[in-house]
Amino acid sequence: MSEPHNKEELILEGIAASPGVAHGRAVVYLQKQLDVPCFDINEDQIDAELERFDKAILETRAEIAGVRDKIAQSLGEGEAGIFDAHLLVLEDNALLEEVSAELKTSMKNIEFCYNNVAQRYISFFRSMEDEYLRERVADIGDVSRRLLHNLIGMQKVNLGELAAESIVVSEDISPSDAADLDRNKLLGFVTDCGGKTSHSVIMARSLRIPAVVGMHDATKKILSGDHILVDGHEGIIVINPTEDRLFKYGKLATERKKRDDTFNSFISEPAQTLDGVSISLMANVEGAQEMEQAKAMHAEGVGLFRTEGIFLRHHGYPPESVQYEEYRAVVEASGEHPVIIRTLDVGGDKTIGDENVKDDSSFMGFRAIRFCLGNEAIFKTQLRAILRSSAHGDVKIMYPMISGIMELRMANKVFDAVKQELRDEGQAFDEAIEVGAMVEVPSAAVIIDQLAAETDFLSIGTNDLIQYLIAVDRLNDQVTHLYDPAHPAVLRTLKAIIDGGKAANTPVSICGEIAGDPTFAGLLLGMGADSLSLTSSLLPEVKYFIRHINHAEAEALVAEVIQLSDSAEIVKKLEAFRQKALGKFA
Ligand code: PEP
Ligand code: MG
């Protein structure tokens, strides 16, 4: 690790994304940018440069072989095949000869020459008609990055093997990076990009790991090895915090603990308002490993099982048996409470990276149910596994990103075919399994009467609904100020969806991040939501809040704010309501 570059205390501001305070050593994880140095060399240096190159190739070879063996052991030979392709790219004779020729003609350093040649190969393959050849671009990119890291002598970071008490500082942390993170060693994370509802932030909140995002240039100001303090409440990073600062944070932590202890003391009580209206509080989970916490927080089942976590951890599309075991474990852990399993929502910031199946990282593209309907074999495998898990408890199934009735019907048609398959095979499943849809695309909200008539339940995904309604990318820190859950259009849409559900007698839940935020929970309750599904770590505070409000007052609050046109004024009213309920804990 490098020595701290600056012993002076330095404070940086970003977006508070996951609450809590962490103090540890920074581990800077750079994936995208790699500054390749460029300098002149003379005749006498040619041999030394080529020797350096040979050494870096050997190091890279050993590294790739090591990863290959690890993957072969954990996930099987099939999954490890990609690294054989990487070894072939690394030792490609034509490419290596081109690099040494470039060195002799340009008289520039070896990493500069290697990078030039690799970039030429990448452009060449990218322009090919043949899809297989076009896909080699990613292999060359991966291998050249590894080799350049070795040539430049940069510290490599393996997110799966962090040192104790690490705080990861990165341009961005994708959900597949997050799946690799060594969660026992990770104290917090800081990113240059990202918004409050990126999936890695959602993961941080569920693990109670403090996070600050949208820092723009944290990776340029923080060096690996720096002492940093992450304040996920205020969205502040302190580099080299003084003793004084650490003492103040220590005192704040004691106060926050008292507040949390108070919230926790109500955790086994019902989520009921002062005037006797109950609401069901359920958990959002990504896998069986989160069920212990969900149960400890007295969640009344799972309102959103984001199944992508299984695929991301697997780095591909796991077979039916692997999925079934995970679904069953969650269902069994949930006991008599329901588990709503959402079918695969791949795409957007959750790309699986399987070389055989094309991912789409656009939020408006080939995502979620669109991907599943376009990859029927993958969809059917998942539906089989979910249906089989329904033999072990109260399972419901939910489709993400439904944008119209035909999509719902198409998904149901596949679902019916899979049910018939299982019947023919004599496999047990719940014949009365309920089917619901996420309401997260504005078109679904507009046709809510039709959608409610053809579903057993609805769940509002506000994370996406807000981004699509306001046309504001939920990951883009430059437009975070426009990502506004209190926008009058959002409030009206939420109310219309809940009213639509009520008219059809179809229960409506909210499973986006605002369900875990007391500023909005009162509003959702006042609108008549049947349940809230949230990260279980936030459940104690939301329950405490609900137990300290009157439902009639929440309804009056809705009637008042729904008339307002200024979202700042709306937030003020919602905040005042929250503060009144939480009192000194607000
Ligand atoms: C949502 O969009 O609100 C939601 C719950 O789904 P996700 O965050 O996984 O897109
Ligand atoms: Mg969503």
Side-chain angles (χ1 to χ4, degrees), residues 407-426:
E407 235 169 7
L408 173 71
R409 290 183 188 160
M410 278 162 77
N412 277 336
K413 204 167 152 206
V414 182
F415 193 43
D416 287 341
V418 170
K419 280 185 186 166
Q420 193 52 49
E421 248 176 55
L422 291 182
R423 272 183 216 115
D424 294 345
E425 292 169 21

Side-chain angles (χ1 to χ4, degrees), residues 106-353:
S106 71
M107 297 305 284
K108 297 279 187 202
N109 56 310
I110 191 73
E111 43 277 84
F112 181 76
C113 298
Y114 176 76
N115 190 39
N116 275 351
V117 174
Q119 292 307 322
R120 275 206 298 273
Y121 270 66
I122 286 174
S123 314
F124 173 71
F125 280 115
R126 196 168 272 147
S127 65
M128 302 297 272
E129 286 286 313
D130 183 307
E131 189 159 344
Y132 173 80
L133 291 178
R134 261 193 283 129
E135 281 167 6
R136 301 287 62 81
V137 167
D139 295 343
I140 304 175
D142 261 12
V143 172
S144 64
R145 220 171 298 124
R146 270 184 198 277
L147 184 62
L148 285 167
H149 269 104
N150 283 326
L151 268 174
I152 300 166
M154 273 183 65
Q155 184 203 358
K156 282 176 298 297
V157 173
N158 181 349
L159 292 180
E161 292 170 12
L162 291 172
E165 314 209 322
S166 294
I167 294 173
V168 171
V169 179
S170 179
E171 294 128 334
D172 195 4
I173 295 186
S174 71
S176 61
D177 291 332
D180 286 341
L181 276 169
D182 184 344
R183 296 166 184 208
N184 296 319
K185 311 271 179 61
L186 180 73
L187 289 186
F189 75 73
V190 177
T191 61
D192 287 343
C193 337
K196 272 182 160 181
T197 60
S198 75
H199 286 96
S200 24
V201 165
I202 291 173
M203 175 215 80
R205 267 200 291 270
S206 82
L207 293 172
R208 290 188 269 189
I209 293 173
V212 177
V213 303
M215 302 282 304
H216 301 296
D217 55 1
T219 50
K220 297 208 175 68
K221 295 194 168 139
I222 301 171
L223 291 181
S224 278
D226 277 355
H227 276 288
I228 57 172
L229 186 140
V230 180
D231 178 350
H233 300 283
E234 302 296 329
I236 286 172
I237 303 300
V238 187
I239 309 178
N240 299 317
T242 60
E243 286 299 321
D244 215 28
R245 173 98 41 206
L246 292 175
F247 180 71
K248 278 187 199 142
Y249 268 96
K251 272 176 67 181
L252 275 178
T254 314
E255 279 164 33
R256 284 199 181 111
K257 172 140 191 344
K258 270 195 214 149
R259 180 180 188 264
D260 289 347
D261 288 347
T262 308
F263 294 156
N264 282 328
S265 65
F266 288 91
I267 199 63
S268 56
E269 302 293 321
Q272 195 177 63
T273 59
L274 294 168
D275 50 353
V277 176
S278 296
I279 185 161
S280 155
L281 294 183
M282 304 174 86
N284 288 354
V285 304
E286 290 191 18
Q289 78 283 359
E290 287 179 57
M291 288 309 290
E292 202 179 316
Q293 150 119 335
K295 282 169 74 181
M297 297 295 122
H298 290 258
E300 293 174 60
V302 172
L304 170 64
F305 180 173
R306 285 186 170 95
T307 55
E308 306 77 66
I310 308 170
F311 295 71
L312 291 165
R313 289 191 289 278
H314 190 82
H315 292 283
Y317 296 87
E320 181 183 325
S321 57
V322 171
Q323 294 187 49
Y324 165 69
E325 288 305 333
E326 183 102 17
Y327 303 147
R328 193 178 74 163
V330 172
V331 173
E332 284 179 347
S334 197
E336 78 278 16
H337 293 303
V339 176
I340 300 178
I341 305 182
R342 180 175 75 181
T343 58
L344 183 62
D345 183 3
V346 64
D349 61 346
K350 291 174 288 195
T351 47
I352 308 288

Side-chain angles (χ1 to χ4, degrees), residues 199 342 345 367 438 440 461 463-464 474:
H199 286 96
R342 180 175 75 181
D345 183 3
R367 191 191 155 187
M438 298 270 300
E440 50 185 349
N463 304 339
D464 280 313
R474 66 196 259 192

